[in-house]
Amino acid sequence: MPWIVGVSGASGTPYAAAVLRALLEAGEAVDLVVSRASRLTLLDETGIAFRDAHWQDDLRQWLARGADGKPGTFDVDVSGVRYWTAGDLAAGPSSGSYPAKGMLIVPASTASVAGVALGLSKDLLQRAASVTLKERRTLVVAVRETPLNGQTLRHLVALDDAGATVVPASPAFYAGATHIQDLVDFVAGRVLDAAGVAHGLYRRWKGELGGGTPGM
C-alpha cells in the first residue's frame, strides 16, 4: 500500500523533496498529489515547472536538487511514484476503499490546513486528507507558516482532535547541522517519525550534551 504525499502551496518544497526521497529509499510506494498553488511555489523556489504531461521528468529533476539549489545532488529513482492531478476528484485516493497506509502533507499551507479541518475537499489533496481521517489512517500535517494566527491555531487543534499529527516545520540544531540540507532533513525525518517510516535523515538525541558539536 502506498503513502499519499500531498504538496501544498506553502514555502518549503525542499521538505517535500526530502520526504519523497526518504520514502522511496525505504522502499515505500508513493501516491503524489501536487496542488496548483504548490506549482507556483516550486517554480519560485527551484525554477522547475511541474507539468502533468511530463511529471516524471520534472519530479526527477526536483528530487535530484539539493536544498541549496544545486542540481544533480541526489540520484533518485521515481518509478515507485504514482501521480494524481490535484483536480482529479475521481482519483484513487479520493475514496476510502482505495488502499493506502496514510497521508503526509508537506509542506502544509494554512489554506490546506483550513480546508482539511473544515472538510472542504475543494481539491484532491484536501479530499484525500479527509478520507485519511475518516478511515482512521495516519495523517501527518507539516505546517509551514509563521506567525500563526488564532484561526489557524484552532484549525490545527481541530486536526489534532480528529487524529492527525501536526508537525511544525521547525528545524532543531542539536543534531549538529552544518548545512541547509541537514536542517531540511531534520524536519523531513520528524515527519517520517510520525508516520513510523524508518530513515537515517538526522542524528537522534542520545542524552549526551555536546553530541551535536562538530568535532565531538
Side-chain angles (χ1 to χ4, degrees), residues 31-44:
D31 277 20
L32 177 63
V33 181
V34 179
S35 76
R36 291 187 176 91
S38 69
R39 295 174 189 236
L40 299 176
T41 307
L42 183 62
L43 181 63
D44 185 54

Side-chain angles (χ1 to χ4, degrees), residues 58-81:
D58 297 337
L59 178 63
R60 190 177 297 108
Q61 182 184 359
W62 174 27
L63 299 190
R65 183 179 295 262
D68 59 0
K70 183 179 178 181
T73 300
F74 300 97
D75 183 17
V76 183
D77 178 6
V78 299
S79 61
V81 179

Side-chain angles (χ1 to χ4, degrees), residues 87-179:
D88 185 4
L89 292 178
S94 69
S95 172
S97 66
Y98 183 78
K101 291 183 177 179
M103 183 173 184
L104 317 175
I105 306 178
V106 53
S109 65
T110 55
S112 64
V113 165
V116 177
L118 297 174
L120 298 183
S121 296
K122 72 171 187 176
D123 61 9
L124 181 58
L125 189 153
Q126 292 183 14
R127 172 59 185 169
S130 294
V131 167
T132 300
L133 288 176
K134 81 180 183 68
E135 296 296 325
R136 301 296 190 265
R137 297 169 183 161
T138 297
L139 175 64
V140 183
V141 179
V143 61
R144 214 307 307 166
E145 185 59 274
T146 189
L148 295 171
N149 62 27
Q151 187 176 45
T152 298
L153 290 170
R154 286 188 287 272
H155 289 153
L156 292 172
V157 170
L159 289 179
D160 179 79
D161 289 343
T165 300
V166 177
V167 179
S170 302
F173 296 85
Y174 63 77
T178 59
H179 190 277

Side-chain angles (χ1 to χ4, degrees), residues 22 25 185 192 197-204:
E25 186 176 346
D185 285 349
L192 295 171
V197 177
H199 65 87
L201 289 176
Y202 68 90
R203 186 188 71 86
R204 297 184 181 278

